[in-house]
Amino acid sequence: MKKLSTSAAGVERGGGGRAILIMAVAAGLLVWSWGTWIDPIIDSGRELYVAWRVSLRDLLYRDIAYFNGPLSPYWNALWFKLVGPSVALLTVVNGAIAVGIFTLLYAILRRIRGGMAATLGCLALLVLVAIPPRSTRGAFTYLAPYSHELTHGLFLLLLMIFALSRAQDLGGRRWLFGAGLAAGACLLTKPEIGLAVGMILAAWAFFLAVVTKSPVRAHLPPLIAGLAVPPAVAWLLFLPHLGVGESLAALSTPFASAANADVRDLYFYRAVMGTDDLASAIRNIGLGTMIYGGVIGIPFLALRLVPGDRITKWPRLGILLGVLTAVAVLRASLSWIHWWYFFVPLQVLTVLFLLGEVTGRLPLLSVLRGPEGRLPATLLAVLATGLLAKVFFNTSVVSYG
């Protein structure tokens, strides 16, 4: 693989201060939301119960009916086995995974657009989603998720992108093997995580072939070898108890469930996906897109049209703060504009980003990333698009950001 220079990333000052800021905000949110993370009704009990049963040597899929992959239940059961079943213990373990998510996200965003963007991105995810203050949605926090497969999967997907980016910078088969390990572990979580893996790998291969002009086949063996390890280990662990065929069927349960038409036709899932009222969903997406285009798109285009040597980072920051102020004023003065409309067009933005990467015809995107961050920016947008596939017509910040 052709290595790209890392000089653009540079060594930024203020990294320690930004880390302290993120940790201080996280600490404040922890204090503010203390004791509100577990949802007593929605799914939290299932997450605890399944892990507890597995820790008592019950077998997933045989003794316990389950519709997701085995990675998260067995990970949680391992801690229950080592320390004992405890809500507090699982909260601490989830907190450590959240730290890993934010560490990886910061590293990726910093490469894309520098430390300021990385800090703002982490703070947005932290406040809106990971530990929302006084949340009435306890089951959607990162400390007590309603589905551990999503937080575990997000960590693994970010790890995969980080490893692929390092392979681009440094070369070496070990980074590709590590990316494969993360991808293989993702396949043991949820179908939407698996879909994101396939999309990320396809985008990575496209980037190699088109941008760096590297032979894709030369980089596949370590990646495929790593990808095969987690499913193979899981199959071997189930093999003595279920046999060859049933072990394979058990590991394919998440994807079989997602393909089940009876499940997809349930009103609950149609409401979650936004397909129960498709016309309204499309109308909301259009309205949200117009708001983004008018309030945010115009300043970004203006920044793009001004030569880089005539505008410093402080005027840029002032313009962006002005955009945020305009959004707040609109929200306060126009009662018919709900925060909902600021999240429904997220899938439009990610698709536009990817079209810009492929065609090179959306110049405003160069404002959002530096040249050295092109691969991680593309892969991060692909990750977002893949995770939004299930709720494409009903995108919101309610779930996992």
Side-chain angles (χ1 to χ4, degrees):
M1 182 185 298
K2 294 181 180 180
K3 300 178 185 178
L4 298 182
S5 171
T6 59
S7 59
V11 178
E12 291 186 291
R13 295 181 178 180
R18 296 188 184 104
I20 292 173
L21 173 62
I22 294 172
M23 288 188 291
V25 172
L29 290 172
L30 285 173
V31 173
W32 193 356
S33 63
W34 193 266
T36 65
W37 308 316
I38 291 289
D39 192 303
I41 298 175
I42 303 176
D43 296 336
S44 292
R46 180 199 64 205
E47 296 295 293
L48 297 168
Y49 176 75
V50 171
W52 170 65
R53 286 281 302 274
V54 171
S55 73
L56 298 178
R57 296 180 179 266
D58 284 340
L59 190 68
L60 206 63
Y61 308 116
R62 185 192 67 187
D63 304 319
I64 310 168
Y66 202 63
F67 54 89
N68 287 327
L71 179 67
S72 296
Y74 279 89
W75 168 261
N76 292 339
L78 172 65
W79 291 99
F80 281 4
K81 190 71 175 178
L82 293 174
V83 183
S86 166
V87 173
L89 168 67
L90 202 54
T91 301
V92 171
V93 173
N94 290 335
I97 292 173
V99 170
I101 289 173
F102 281 95
T103 300
L104 290 168
L105 182 63
Y106 184 92
I108 294 169
L109 291 177
R110 180 180 179 275
R111 179 163 177 76
I112 292 171
R113 196 52 188 169
M116 178 70 77
T119 302
L120 293 175
C122 287
L123 289 176
L125 188 66
L126 182 64
V127 174
L128 292 174
V129 182
I131 318 175
R134 292 292 180 182
S135 173
T136 59
R137 301 178 278 104
F140 289 103
T141 68
Y142 283 13
L143 298 176
Y146 89 95
S147 176
H148 283 83
E149 286 82 6
L150 283 170
T151 48
H152 295 167
L154 179 58
F155 170 77
L156 292 168
L157 287 171
L158 292 174
L159 184 62
M160 176 184 170
I161 291 176
F162 179 79
L164 290 174
S165 299
R166 296 293 286 176
Q168 175 201 34
D169 295 340
L170 305 175
R173 302 166 71 88
R174 68 181 185 277
W175 287 109
L176 292 174
F177 183 78
L181 284 176
C186 284
L187 300 180
L188 302 176
T189 57
K190 284 177 74 75
E192 50 263 50
I193 302 296
L195 173 64
V197 166
M199 293 175 64
I200 288 171
L201 291 179
W204 169 76
F206 175 85
F207 189 91
L208 286 186
V210 175
V211 178
T212 66
K213 309 297 183 183
S214 299
V216 178
R217 289 184 180 180
H219 308 294
L220 289 179
L223 182 73
I224 294 175
L227 189 149
V229 170
V233 170
W235 179 72
L236 290 173
L237 291 175
F238 281 106
L239 183 61
H241 308 283
L242 298 179
V244 176
E246 288 191 21
S247 297
L248 291 173
L251 294 179
S252 65
T253 295
F255 302 96
S257 298
N260 189 323
D262 293 334
V263 174
R264 294 198 311 270
D265 289 340
L266 291 173
Y267 174 76
F268 170 78
Y269 285 106
R270 287 191 290 111
V272 167
M273 294 186 292
T275 56
D276 59 325
D277 189 355
L278 200 54
S280 295
I282 294 174
R283 183 173 63 250
N284 289 337
I285 290 173
L287 179 57
T289 303
M290 287 191 293
I291 292 174
Y292 264 105
V295 178
I296 298 179
I298 292 175
F300 271 122
L301 284 173
L303 287 173
R304 179 63 183 90
L305 294 174
V306 176
D309 57 351
R310 295 186 183 180
I311 186 167
T312 66
K313 65 178 181 179
W314 293 113
R316 286 178 184 267
L317 182 60
I319 291 175
L320 294 180
L321 289 176
V323 170
L324 294 177
T325 303
V327 169
V329 170
L330 278 173
R331 175 65 183 92
S333 59
L334 300 177
S335 60
W336 57 273
I337 294 184
H338 303 289
W339 284 119
W340 169 256
Y341 295 118
F342 292 96
F343 298 112
V344 289
L346 291 177
Q347 70 283 73
V348 176
L349 298 179
T350 58
V351 171
L352 285 176
F353 188 99
L354 295 177
L355 287 175
E357 283 295 314
V358 173
T359 65
R361 301 196 174 194
L362 289 178
L364 69 91
L365 295 177
S366 62
V367 178
L368 301 177
R369 50 158 174 74
E372 297 300 325
R374 186 172 183 184
L375 176 62
T378 301
L379 298 185
L380 199 61
V382 170
L383 181 156
T385 305
L387 293 184
L388 287 173
K390 180 179 177 180
V391 292
F392 189 86
F393 296 104
N394 190 30
T395 303
S396 72
V397 76
V398 168
S399 189
Y400 289 96

